[in-house]
């Protein structure tokens, strides 16, 4: 008895597919994988055309059997195949590209194609049927409009929708009657695209939730990083025009602080030094609290905190103003002497 071993014949198209996939893996550093379960072939072709127009030779899109992809990956020595292999199930679309995977995800998330509504679809945004002539002849279709509570009228031998009518809101499930009506009216309220599951970038696997970038958050982070870089540059006095402006301002403010602490009365900064001294004096009075009043020291109240004076007759106001002017003159003479002694005590 002879044992006959039959050799398995591999179809030529499979050999060519493996060779082509292997070439693409060697040529493109980024491979993205998308789930296309339930996605119409016509929609995939339209998206492929858009991406080719936008990205040119930097992208190749292939629908391939998972087993052929594995064989091609082993032949090409694809890095990260062990991480990618568990995801090679179901209907998969493979995107080979030279562009950044984060940019690819952003482009695909914006590349959506209007599609007819189908029964069972969940509404993402409200659907409104606009008022106007439908072009339909009166007949059984009128009952279909009535069932969906779409107001109509017959005018000029055709059915008109009387007013803009909302037939679905976000979260609603489209019924078979509504889906049929929307298709008859030529209204495509849904959008569909290719959703990336993951990307393999030079052997590094990046899941979809990491590919999605919050633009506003990254803008805030970049702005914060820029501000911190300027602060560090100002401290180090990096010789860049924008940085040096901040370095000079920082050095000037520090010079003022040092001068104020040392009591340097240079004409160019005397007002700032005295203001700093007065500020310290007020702070000291505030720290003393009730003891300051016992010592006869009282800091002036802010203008906003001063109580409003009650209304008085004109003659009494004039007398009080004259009395206040005399008292102010006396205080002025005393305050000049006190200021001289106070500054001497404060600055040594």
């Amino acid at each position: 008895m002879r044992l006959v071993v039959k050799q398995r014949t591999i179809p030529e198209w499979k050999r060519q597919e493996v060779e082509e996939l292997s070439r693409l893996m060697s040529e493109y550093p980024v491979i993205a994988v998308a789930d296309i379960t339930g996605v119409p072939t016509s929609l995939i072709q339209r998206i492929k055309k858009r991406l080719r127009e936008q990205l040119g030779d930097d992208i190749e899109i292939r629908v391939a059997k998972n087993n052929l992809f594995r064989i091609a990956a082993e032949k090409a020595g694809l890095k990260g195949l062990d991480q990618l292999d568990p995801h090679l199930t179901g209907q998969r679309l493979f995107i080979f590209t030279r562009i950044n995977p984060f940019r690819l995800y952003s482009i695909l998330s914006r590349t959506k194609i209007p599609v007819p509504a189908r029964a069972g679809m969940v509404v993402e945004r409200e659907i409104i049927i606009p008022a106007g002539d439908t072009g339909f002849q009166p007949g059984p279709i009128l009952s279909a409009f009535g069932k969906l509570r779409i107001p109509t009228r017959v005018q000029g031998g055709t059915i008109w929708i009387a007013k803009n009518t909302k037939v679905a809101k976000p979260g609603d499930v489209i019924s078979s009657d509504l889906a049929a009506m929307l298709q008859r009216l030529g209204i495509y309220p849904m959008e569909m695209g290719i959703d990336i599951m993951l990307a393999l970038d030079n052997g590094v696997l990046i899941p979809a939730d990491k590919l999605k970038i919050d633009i506003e958050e990254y803008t805030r982070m970049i702005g914060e990083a820029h501000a911190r870089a300027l602060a560090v540059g100002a401290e180090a006095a990096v010789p860049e025009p924008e940085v040096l402006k901040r370095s000079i301002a920082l050095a000037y403010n520090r010079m003022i602080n040092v001068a104020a602490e040392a009591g340097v009365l240079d004409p160019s900064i005397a007002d700032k030094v005295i203001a700093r001294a007065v500020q310290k004096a007020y702070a000291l009075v505030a720290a003393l609290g009730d003891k300051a009043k016992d010592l006869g020291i009282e800091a002036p109240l802010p203008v906003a905190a001063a109580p409003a004076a009650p209304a008085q007759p004109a003659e009494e106001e004039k007398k009080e103003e004259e009395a206040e002017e005399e008292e102010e003159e006396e205080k002025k003479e005393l305050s000049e002497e006190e200021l001289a002694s106070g500054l001497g005590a404060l600055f040594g």
Side-chain angles (χ1 to χ4, degrees):
M1 181 178 176
R2 293 178 59 187
L3 182 64
V4 179
V5 179
K6 293 184 178 181
Q7 290 185 344
R8 183 184 175 187
T9 303
I10 300 175
E12 184 60 26
W13 72 267
K14 287 188 176 181
R15 294 179 184 273
Q16 292 178 358
E17 183 70 6
V18 168
E19 289 295 330
E20 180 65 10
L21 289 172
S22 181
R23 180 188 68 81
L24 292 173
M25 291 174 190
S26 301
E27 185 175 344
Y28 293 91
V30 176
I31 302 173
V33 182
D35 183 5
I36 55 172
T37 304
V39 180
T41 303
S42 58
L43 183 136
I44 295 174
Q45 295 301 324
R46 292 170 67 185
I47 292 178
K48 283 176 65 174
K49 183 179 178 182
R50 281 195 184 184
L51 293 175
R52 288 286 295 182
E53 291 173 351
Q54 185 175 354
L55 302 173
D57 295 334
D58 286 334
I59 191 168
E60 284 284 347
I61 300 176
R62 290 298 177 94
V63 177
K65 293 185 177 297
N66 294 322
N67 285 336
L68 296 182
F69 183 91
R70 286 191 186 94
I71 295 170
E74 291 174 357
K75 183 176 181 180
L78 182 67
K79 295 180 181 178
L81 177 59
D82 55 334
Q83 303 174 63
L84 183 59
D85 188 74
H87 303 281
L88 299 179
T89 59
Q91 294 181 323
R92 297 290 180 258
L93 177 139
F94 301 97
I95 304 172
F96 303 87
T97 182
R98 296 187 184 91
I99 69 173
N100 186 292
F102 300 95
R103 182 186 170 210
L104 176 66
Y105 184 93
S106 177
I107 291 172
L108 282 172
S109 65
R110 298 193 305 269
T111 306
K112 302 292 183 181
I113 304 295
V115 295
R118 297 197 306 271
M121 279 186 168
V122 178
V123 178
E124 296 180 355
R125 59 176 181 268
E126 68 179 15
I127 302 174
I128 296 177
I129 296 180
D133 187 4
T134 66
F136 300 148
Q137 299 294 322
I141 194 173
L142 280 170
S143 62
F145 280 115
K147 188 176 181 180
L148 294 170
R149 297 182 180 179
I150 301 172
T152 58
R153 68 175 186 272
V154 177
Q155 178 180 330
T158 59
I159 299 173
W160 287 63
I161 296 174
K163 63 178 182 179
N164 292 345
T165 305
K166 181 169 69 173
V167 293
K169 63 181 184 299
D172 288 349
V173 177
I174 293 180
S175 66
S176 57
D177 291 333
L178 179 57
M181 178 60 71
L182 291 171
Q183 290 191 34
R184 293 192 68 173
L185 292 171
I187 297 174
Y188 297 162
M190 313 298 285
E191 288 185 335
M192 188 176 289
I194 296 175
D195 296 324
I196 293 179
M197 298 169 51
L198 54 89
L200 192 67
D201 186 358
N202 288 299
V204 178
L205 191 141
I206 310 171
D209 59 335
K210 302 297 182 184
L211 290 170
K212 185 178 181 180
I213 296 177
D214 187 336
I215 301 299
E216 292 183 0
E217 176 64 13
Y218 272 80
T219 301
R220 184 195 65 77
M221 291 171 63
I222 291 171
E224 184 177 330
H226 179 258
R228 289 182 178 180
L230 286 178
V232 172
E235 289 287 347
V238 176
E240 288 289 335
E242 185 178 359
V243 176
L244 285 178
K245 291 178 182 178
R246 295 171 179 266
S247 296
I248 293 170
L250 184 64
Y252 178 78
N253 289 333
R254 289 179 175 174
M255 180 270 291
I256 295 296
N257 291 336
V258 171
E261 290 292 338
V264 176
L265 285 176
D266 184 89
S268 61
I269 60 171
D271 56 337
K272 295 180 176 61
V273 174
I274 293 173
R276 181 69 178 273
V278 172
Q279 183 182 9
K280 284 187 173 185
Y282 289 166
L284 181 59
V285 172
L288 289 172
D290 293 337
K291 291 183 179 181
K293 292 182 180 181
D294 296 340
L295 296 172
I297 304 172
E298 186 175 352
L301 291 173
V303 175
Q312 294 179 343
E315 293 183 2
E316 291 184 8
E317 285 185 1
K318 187 174 180 181
K319 290 180 180 179
E320 286 187 7
E321 286 178 2
E322 291 176 356
E324 286 176 0
E325 287 177 2
E326 293 177 0
E327 185 177 351
E328 193 66 27
E329 289 294 329
E330 294 176 0
K331 286 184 177 180
K332 185 176 179 182
E333 294 178 2
L334 293 173
S335 62
E336 289 177 355
E337 296 175 0
E338 288 175 352
L339 179 61
S341 61
L343 286 175
L346 187 61
F347 299 121

